[in-house]
């Protein structure tokens, strides 16, 4: 990942069985999925990064048959959340505020502390469903 | 509702299937409208036996046995019983007393050793009589095209039960047998290599074998979540002691070869149980005080719970001391 | 003979109401004048004739209309019914359980004939007559869970048991009190109950989980839960909250009797035999406030329960906006007289 490029030389020098720098999270996930599809028991998955990143990697791991209980994770960096809109099912990345706007359907969402591993996202529920427009002040909640 | 004493069945066949193993077939008692429930592979039933001890007194034995018949066949249940050398009475009773036409009481099936439904592949490792739960598991997996292999070790060809039938039914690619008398041993390390992600490992057999498999799996980097084992403990013997029931104000003597649960049942105290082998947690009982040291023999309580001295699994654990006060 | 099924709606025109006999059998959930979250589990065994407990899967006068409402929900949002791939054995277990129970309980409405794995199922109220091969998905119009729960009142969650936990890996959820199957599927017992206030500190879910892990086949259990719903709307899903949420602002002193409903869930839990999974049917019963107060004890008691409900529970259940209006309305039916402990009528 770009932010870590200054560590690249040091990491490469460790001579891992497979070392790969991905330009984006989606390309990394695709590559990881391919590597896991031919992997054997004994391979263990360790993930460090933001919450949204950890969630997406865990999903690739569990889709490959790894029990999430056996995946070791370490949170580093921003607390920004991936949020799944319960209404339109769209995922909004890098949500730092509560409430937040769904990037797909435009509803104002209350971001709940309710997390789905399968979707790798927190749940967002329309905050002004009862009285449209009655929205509390936006707070920087997840930095 | 946790009392699991269950249903009456009639024994329709008793077969010697190996040197020291007999197979028993049960069907519902004639004329009853009872139907045997379907069950999941890995389930066991607790069989209640009324026998006599050396002094001629009536004794009740209750032992858990894995169901080995096809889970999809609700016409009968089958179990296999190994005649153990240090039997507390149960296995000798089954071997020497039970004959065709006898009526026995069995519990509802309970599964403490299920196949992990989402597993990509399943590897079964059996030692001796430990083959029984795998027979029902393989039957169910084969019916839905699940991927599995069995590695089955036994002392000699005449000691091992069912190996010939299993080889015939599933073929040598899925069933491998290892005969100790012929110098064959399962190489756990080799077995655990090159297994695809999502493989689950199941082991049932003597305690040292279970430990060896778990150790090999850990060394090969397998997560604990993918390694499953079942071992029913027979309640160990020990010095007699007194159990005092705080709520019902009774004192009950627990004999040398009795478990606390058995002593309570003999005194007509209704206690909860399911597996009677220290695995399920159903008979967990609160300890008020102990004059002596509690010997925890179960697989259920955590280290902290044991150290707290406040809980005991009365099916297999006992007191090394004078008196144990239970909140019953 | 048999049940007279009503033709009514749970949306738009909202023509749902209970007949006097159905009011009498309403499973009023409060054994005393206050409410606290508890597990209150009891064996699910057949109960008094005419009660909702008479049969293990209760069918009532709303059956046909509720099934029509479910079909409408599924047409709009197919994700309300989902099953992870490893749950197929459990799906068949559930189909068998419901077909066996209903055909025994209501032979005039449902018939099941088996010849080996060739099964013949007749559902007269819904006009269904199907022959299929048990275990062969291709012989049914839907997967087995969807097939049978399109014909059975109540929501259904099926939990797989592994790693000493229960995992909600399949479900049919169209009449829910504000939870999303699509979001929650795959969660374990603790995660799924995450949003419930107060109960976690009490250790309620740990004890319940321990109990459920040892639940035995043939010994189902049940409990009641409750909330309130504005208008007789079955589909109060989070998915559609932005569409029905404004209902909560429309309660006035004049319309409480007809618009405000007590919603009781009869939840049961069953071990399934072949899969070792647990099925959790959540059957919803609605009653209008005007219907509720026809039973004096219920009017008195519900007034007291609602008035003293802890605010965090009122918030969790979504009652805060209209609670005072309803309490005020109910106060007319509470003369302050004592009520008897338990569910019996005064």
């Amino acid at each position: 990942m770009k932010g870590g490029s200054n560590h690249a030389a040091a990491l490469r020098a460790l001579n891992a069985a497979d070392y790969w720098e991905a330009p984006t999270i989606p390309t990394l996930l695709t590559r990881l999925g391919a590597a896991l599809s031919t992997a054997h028991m004994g391979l263990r998955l360790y993930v460090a990064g933001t919450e949204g990143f950890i969630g997406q990697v865990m999903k690739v791991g569990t889709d490959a048959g790894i029990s999430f209980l056996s995946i070791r994770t370490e949170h580093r960096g921003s607390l920004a959340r991936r949020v799944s809109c319960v209404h339109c099912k769209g995922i909004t990345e890098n949500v730092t505020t509560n409430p937040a706007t769904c990037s797909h359907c435009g509803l104002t969402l209350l971001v709940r502390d309710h997390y789905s591993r399968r979707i790798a996202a927190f749940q967002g529920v329309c905050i002004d469903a009862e009285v449209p427009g009655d929205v509390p002040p936006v707070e920087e909640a997840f930095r | 509702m946790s009392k699991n004493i269950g249903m009456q069945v009639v024994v329709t066949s008793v077969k010697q299937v190996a040197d020291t193993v007999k197979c028993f077939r049960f069907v519902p008692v004639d004329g009853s409208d009872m139907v045997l429930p379907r069950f999941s592979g890995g389930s066991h039933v607790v069989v209640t036996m009324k026998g006599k001890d050396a002094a001629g007194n009536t004794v009740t034995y209750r032992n858990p046995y894995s169901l080995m018949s096809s889970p999809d066949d609700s016409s009968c249940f089958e179990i296999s019983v190994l005649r153990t050398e240090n039997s507390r009475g149960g296995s000798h009773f089954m071997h020497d007393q039970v004959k065709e036409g006898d009526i026995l009481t069995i519990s509802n099936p309970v599964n403490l050793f299920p196949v992990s439904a989402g597993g990509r592949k399943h590897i079964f490792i059996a030692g001796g009589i430990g083959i029984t739960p795998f027979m029902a598991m393989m039957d169910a997996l084969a019916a839905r095209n699940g991927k599995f292999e069995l590695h089955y070790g036994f002392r000699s060809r005449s000691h091992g039960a069912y190996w010939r039938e299993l080889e015939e039914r599933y073929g040598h690619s899925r069933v491998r047998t290892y005969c100790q008398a012929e110098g064959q041993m399962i190489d756990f390390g080799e077995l655990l290599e090159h297994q695809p992600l999502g493989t689950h490992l199941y082991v049932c057999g003597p305690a040292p074998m279970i430990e060896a498999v778990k150790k090999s799996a850990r060394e090969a980097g397998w997560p604990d979540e993918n390694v499953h084992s079942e071992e029913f403990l027979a309640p160990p013997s020990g010095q007699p002691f007194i159990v005092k029931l705080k709520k019902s104000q009774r004192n009950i003597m627990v004999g040398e070869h009795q478990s606390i649960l058995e002593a309570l049942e003999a005194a007509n105290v209704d206690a909860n149980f399911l597996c009677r082998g220290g695995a399920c947690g159903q008979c967990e009982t609160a300890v008020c005080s102990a004059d002596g040291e509690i010997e925890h023999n179960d697989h259920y309580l955590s280290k902290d719970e044991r150290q707290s001295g406040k809980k005991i699994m009365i099916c297999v654990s006992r007191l090394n001391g004078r008196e144990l006060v239970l909140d019953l | 003979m048999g049940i007279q099924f009503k033709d009514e709606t749970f949306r738009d025109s909202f023509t749902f109401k209970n007949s006097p006999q159905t009011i009498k059998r309403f499973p009023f959930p409060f054994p005393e004048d206050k409410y606290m979250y508890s597990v209150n589990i009891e064996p699910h065994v057949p109960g008094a004739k005419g009660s909702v407990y008479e049969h293990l899967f209760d069918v009532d006068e709303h059956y046909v209309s509720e099934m029509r409402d479910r079909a409408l929900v599924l047409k709009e949002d197919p994700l309300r019914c989902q099953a992870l791939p490893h749950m197929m054995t459990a799906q068949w277990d559930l189909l068998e359980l419901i077909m066996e129970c209903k055909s025994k309980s209501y032979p005039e409405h449902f018939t099941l004939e088996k010849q080996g794995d060739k099964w013949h199922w007749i559902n007269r109220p819904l006009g269904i007559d199907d022959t299929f091969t048990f275990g062969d998905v291709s012989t049914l119009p839907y997967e087995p869970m969807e097939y049978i729960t399109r014909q059975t009142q109540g929501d259904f969650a099926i939990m797989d048991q592994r790693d000493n936990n229960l995992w909600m890996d399949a479900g049919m959820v169209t009449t829910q009190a504000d939870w999303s199957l699509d979001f929650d599927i795959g969660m374990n017992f603790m995660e799924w109950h995450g949003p419930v206030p107060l109960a976690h500190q009490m250790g309620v879910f740990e004890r319940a989980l321990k109990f459920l892990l040892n639940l035995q086949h043939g010994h189902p259990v049940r409990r009641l839960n409750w909330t309130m719903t504005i208008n007789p709307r079955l589909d109060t899903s989070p998915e559609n909250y932005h569409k029905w949420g404004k209902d909560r602002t429309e309660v006035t002193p004049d319309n409480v009797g007809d618009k405000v409903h007590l919603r009781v869930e009869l939840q049961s839990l069953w071990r399934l035999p072949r899969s070792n999974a647990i099925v959790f049917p959540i059957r919803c019963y609605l009653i209008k406030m005007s219907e509720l107060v026809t039973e004096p004890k219920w009017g008195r008691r519900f007034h007291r329960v609602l008035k003293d409900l802890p605010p965090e529970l009122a918030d969790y259940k979504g009652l805060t906006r209209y609670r005072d209006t309803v309490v005020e309305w109910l106060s007319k039916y509470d003369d302050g007289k004592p009520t008897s402990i338990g569910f019996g009528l005064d």
Side-chain angles (χ1 to χ4, degrees):
Chain A
M1 306 275 301
K2 282 176 196 149
S5 56
N6 46 348
H7 299 302
L11 288 170
R12 199 185 306 272
L14 294 173
N15 276 326
D18 189 6
Y19 173 81
W20 196 61
E21 286 173 40
T24 60
I25 293 178
T27 55
L28 182 145
L29 297 177
T30 307
R31 164 84 182 221
L32 177 66
L36 294 183
S37 70
T38 54
H40 292 130
M41 290 300 291
L43 174 140
R44 300 296 288 263
L45 196 51
Y46 299 80
V47 198
T50 61
E51 232 167 19
F53 176 71
I54 290 173
Q56 294 175 82
V57 171
M58 281 184 80
K59 188 166 155 46
V60 173
T62 52
D63 286 349
I66 302 175
S67 164
F68 82 91
L69 297 169
S70 69
I71 301 175
R72 300 287 173 264
T73 61
E74 172 102 348
H75 178 258
R76 280 289 183 274
S78 147
L79 285 167
R81 291 183 168 183
R82 261 166 69 86
V83 174
S84 163
C85 173
V86 78
H87 311 289
C88 75
K89 316 286 182 190
I91 303 269
T92 304
E93 301 279 353
N94 292 316
V95 171
T96 57
T97 65
N98 204 358
T101 304
C102 174
S103 62
H104 300 262
C105 69
L107 286 174
T108 308
L109 302 176
L110 167 73
V111 181
R112 301 175 71 195
D113 289 333
H114 195 37
Y115 181 78
S116 162
R117 257 188 317 281
R118 195 180 64 91
I119 307 175
F122 287 86
Q123 188 176 54
V125 183
C126 181
I127 201 167
D128 57 343
E130 302 187 7
V131 181
D134 181 9
V135 175
V138 172
E139 284 176 23
E140 282 282 322
F142 322 110
R143 281 210 72 85
Chain B
M1 72 194 73
S2 45
K3 319 278 187 294
N4 187 17
I5 311 231
M7 47 191 152
Q8 290 213 309
V9 290
V10 55
V11 181
T12 55
S13 113
V14 181
K15 265 193 248 162
Q16 189 86 38
V17 292
D19 285 354
T20 52
V21 180
K22 277 187 175 179
C23 172
F24 299 81
R25 174 175 294 184
F26 305 141
V27 303
V29 175
D30 259 355
S32 73
D33 58 358
M34 186 188 84
V35 185
L36 293 176
R38 313 275 171 149
F39 62 93
S40 50
S43 297
H44 70 269
V45 294
V46 173
V47 179
T48 301
M49 300 159 261
K50 303 264 183 204
K52 296 231 186 293
D53 66 9
N57 304 311
T58 304
V59 210
T60 303
Y61 307 110
R62 289 202 174 98
N63 285 358
Y65 295 109
S66 296
L67 290 171
M68 49 163 277
S69 42
S70 165
D72 260 328
D73 180 1
S74 58
S75 69
C76 73
F77 279 166
E78 284 179 345
I79 62 167
S80 288
V81 179
L82 171 72
R83 192 186 157 94
T84 53
E85 276 150 35
N86 312 319
S87 172
R88 301 169 55 255
S91 81
H92 283 189
F93 181 89
M94 289 300 291
H95 270 257
D96 304 342
Q97 309 286 324
V98 176
K99 47 191 192 312
E100 287 172 18
D102 285 0
I103 289 179
L104 288 173
T105 302
I106 65 171
S107 69
N108 266 303
V110 169
N111 199 343
L112 301 174
F113 193 35
V115 172
S116 194
R120 305 286 166 96
K121 178 182 174 184
H122 308 274
I123 298 176
F124 303 117
I125 301 181
I129 195 67
I131 188 64
T132 53
F134 297 141
M135 294 180 72
M137 289 180 180
M138 289 189 291
D139 189 281
L141 276 175
R144 55 180 156 94
N145 296 317
K147 211 170 159 190
F148 67 87
E149 52 189 67
L150 168 72
H151 298 266
Y152 178 19
F154 39 76
R155 218 185 304 164
S156 72
R157 295 276 164 198
S158 65
H159 259 92
Y162 309 114
W163 58 270
R164 204 171 273 116
E165 292 97 304
L166 290 170
E167 281 181 350
E168 271 168 27
R169 180 166 173 196
Y170 298 116
H172 290 278
S173 61
R174 288 193 285 183
V175 172
R176 293 278 308 277
T177 58
Y178 305 80
C179 178
Q180 209 182 331
E182 295 165 16
Q184 299 163 339
M185 296 281 279
I186 310 179
D187 182 336
F188 301 132
E190 194 188 296
L191 184 63
L192 296 174
E193 266 182 72
H194 310 307
Q195 296 296 347
L197 277 187
T199 302
H200 284 252
L201 180 67
Y202 307 78
V203 53
C204 186
M209 178 188 198
I210 293 178
E211 278 320 304
V213 170
K214 284 184 172 170
K215 183 164 172 278
S216 302
R218 222 169 287 135
E219 285 167 0
W222 286 52
D224 292 346
E225 289 79 19
N226 292 54
V227 181
H228 315 274
S229 61
E230 179 161 72
E231 180 198 0
F232 288 126
L233 305 161
S237 303
Q239 292 303 309
F241 58 97
I242 297 164
V243 163
K244 187 175 233 164
L245 307 184
K246 192 180 157 209
K247 287 184 194 147
S248 56
Q249 292 289 314
R250 290 181 64 181
N251 289 343
I252 291 161
M253 194 69 185
V254 180
E256 205 179 338
H257 300 297
Q258 236 180 352
S259 68
I260 300 174
L261 178 60
E262 287 165 337
L264 295 182
E265 287 172 342
N268 292 317
V269 177
D270 227 356
N272 287 336
F273 70 85
L274 269 184
C275 78
R276 306 180 78 92
C280 75
Q282 192 72 32
C283 70
E284 178 181 310
T285 304
V287 173
C288 302
S289 63
D291 179 8
E293 201 181 331
I294 298 175
E295 294 172 348
H296 291 288
N297 297 311
D298 60 278
H299 292 307
Y300 184 79
L301 292 178
S302 68
K303 213 175 183 179
D304 288 348
E305 286 173 318
R306 287 169 183 217
Q307 275 169 359
S308 78
K310 289 191 176 130
K311 289 175 181 174
I312 185 169
M313 310 310 296
I314 57 174
C315 66
V316 290
S317 299
R318 54 191 300 128
L319 185 79
N320 183 9
R322 189 185 65 84
E323 182 187 88
L324 180 67
V325 184
L326 297 179
D327 192 21
L328 281 176
Chain C
M1 256 311 281
I3 305 158
Q4 297 301 307
F5 299 106
K6 301 177 76 171
D7 182 3
E8 59 195 351
T9 59
F10 299 90
R11 56 181 67 209
D12 306 325
S13 54
F14 293 118
T15 60
F16 161 91
K17 61 179 175 215
N18 289 299
S19 67
Q21 312 85 281
T22 303
I23 294 174
K24 286 276 174 230
R25 73 200 294 277
F26 186 78
F28 187 73
F30 307 106
E32 52 187 337
D33 287 353
K34 59 179 195 299
Y35 171 76
M36 200 55 224
Y37 194 96
S38 70
V39 180
N40 61 330
I41 288 176
E42 59 172 357
H44 188 40
V45 290
K49 202 169 156 36
S51 75
V52 300
Y53 305 118
E54 180 180 358
H55 300 296
L56 295 178
F57 283 88
D58 180 46
V59 176
D60 67 11
E61 63 186 10
H62 307 299
Y63 174 56
V64 173
S65 296
E66 282 189 27
M67 292 302 96
R68 190 169 48 209
D69 194 70
R70 165 158 293 164
L72 290 173
V73 174
L74 289 168
K75 199 163 183 193
E76 281 173 15
D77 183 1
L79 295 174
R80 303 295 187 85
C81 180
Q82 294 189 51
L84 301 183
H86 60 269
M87 298 303 280
M88 191 51 79
T89 308
Q91 290 197 39
W92 285 108
D93 273 335
L94 177 64
L95 175 137
E96 177 185 46
L97 173 69
I98 294 177
M99 286 189 176
E100 296 260 4
C101 282
K102 279 192 168 178
S103 58
K104 273 190 200 114
S105 296
Y106 305 97
E108 68 280 29
H109 298 307
F110 306 97
T111 303
L112 176 65
E113 286 159 357
K114 294 183 188 173
Q115 285 201 310
D117 58 3
K118 298 279 177 267
W119 290 26
H120 180 198
W121 169 247
I122 306 171
N123 177 337
R124 290 179 196 85
L126 297 184
I128 292 168
D129 185 328
D130 284 331
T131 305
F132 61 95
T133 306
F134 188 88
D136 181 351
V137 177
S138 69
T139 59
L140 282 174
Y142 303 100
E143 287 195 356
M145 176 185 72
E146 177 165 0
Y147 178 75
I148 196 60
T149 57
R150 276 177 178 267
Q151 304 177 44
T152 308
Q153 288 164 281
D155 285 342
F156 289 81
I158 310 183
M159 300 181 278
D160 186 36
Q161 181 163 338
R162 58 180 192 273
D163 299 321
N164 266 317
N165 214 324
L166 295 169
W167 305 82
M168 197 185 48
D169 287 346
M172 163 68 95
V173 181
T174 67
T175 66
Q176 70 270 50
D178 208 6
W179 64 282
S180 165
L181 172 74
D182 183 52
F183 192 80
D184 288 4
I185 192 171
M187 287 188 187
N188 69 36
F189 192 75
M190 295 299 176
E191 295 166 333
W192 180 26
H193 286 100
V196 183
L198 302 179
H200 287 276
Q201 296 91 304
M202 292 159 59
V204 165
F205 295 122
E206 269 141 53
R207 286 198 300 275
L209 175 62
K210 216 165 177 177
F211 173 84
L212 290 176
L213 290 173
N214 279 336
L215 185 70
Q216 284 175 57
H217 176 252
H219 297 274
V221 296
R222 67 177 171 233
R223 64 181 290 255
L224 294 175
N225 198 7
W226 70 280
T227 184
M228 292 174 77
T229 302
I230 305 309
N231 295 326
R233 190 189 292 277
L234 286 174
D235 176 28
T236 50
S237 58
E239 278 85 352
N240 286 334
Y241 176 47
H242 56 308
K243 296 177 189 161
W244 58 261
K246 65 174 174 17
D247 292 3
R248 288 178 173 166
T249 64
E250 292 168 1
V251 178
T252 65
D254 294 332
N255 65 15
V256 167
D258 188 51
K259 208 173 180 66
V260 178
H261 295 72
L262 174 61
R263 180 187 190 107
V264 171
E265 291 174 356
L266 170 53
Q267 309 177 334
S268 55
L269 290 141
W270 309 65
R271 173 72 66 192
L272 296 174
R274 295 175 186 79
S275 56
N276 201 42
I278 286 179
V279 65
F280 183 32
I282 308 157
R283 172 65 186 279
C284 162
Y285 294 89
L286 291 170
I287 193 168
K288 293 176 187 302
M289 286 299 105
S290 60
E291 295 170 342
L292 186 91
V293 296
T294 59
E295 202 54 68
K297 175 172 172 180
W298 294 352
R300 290 186 184 110
R301 179 162 290 172
F302 190 50
H303 173 244
R304 296 167 199 180
V305 166
L306 197 58
K307 194 173 62 177
D308 298 336
L309 193 69
E312 50 275 62
L313 278 175
D315 265 346
Y316 169 66
K317 290 179 186 283
L319 321 181
T320 307
R321 206 179 281 279
Y322 55 83
R323 167 157 75 156
D324 291 346
T325 312
V326 179
V327 169
E328 178 61 31
W329 187 88
L330 283 168
S331 68
K332 290 181 287 186
Y333 300 89
D334 186 359
D335 53 14
K337 284 198 181 135
T339 55
S340 58
I341 290 289
F343 296 105
L345 297 178
D346 285 342

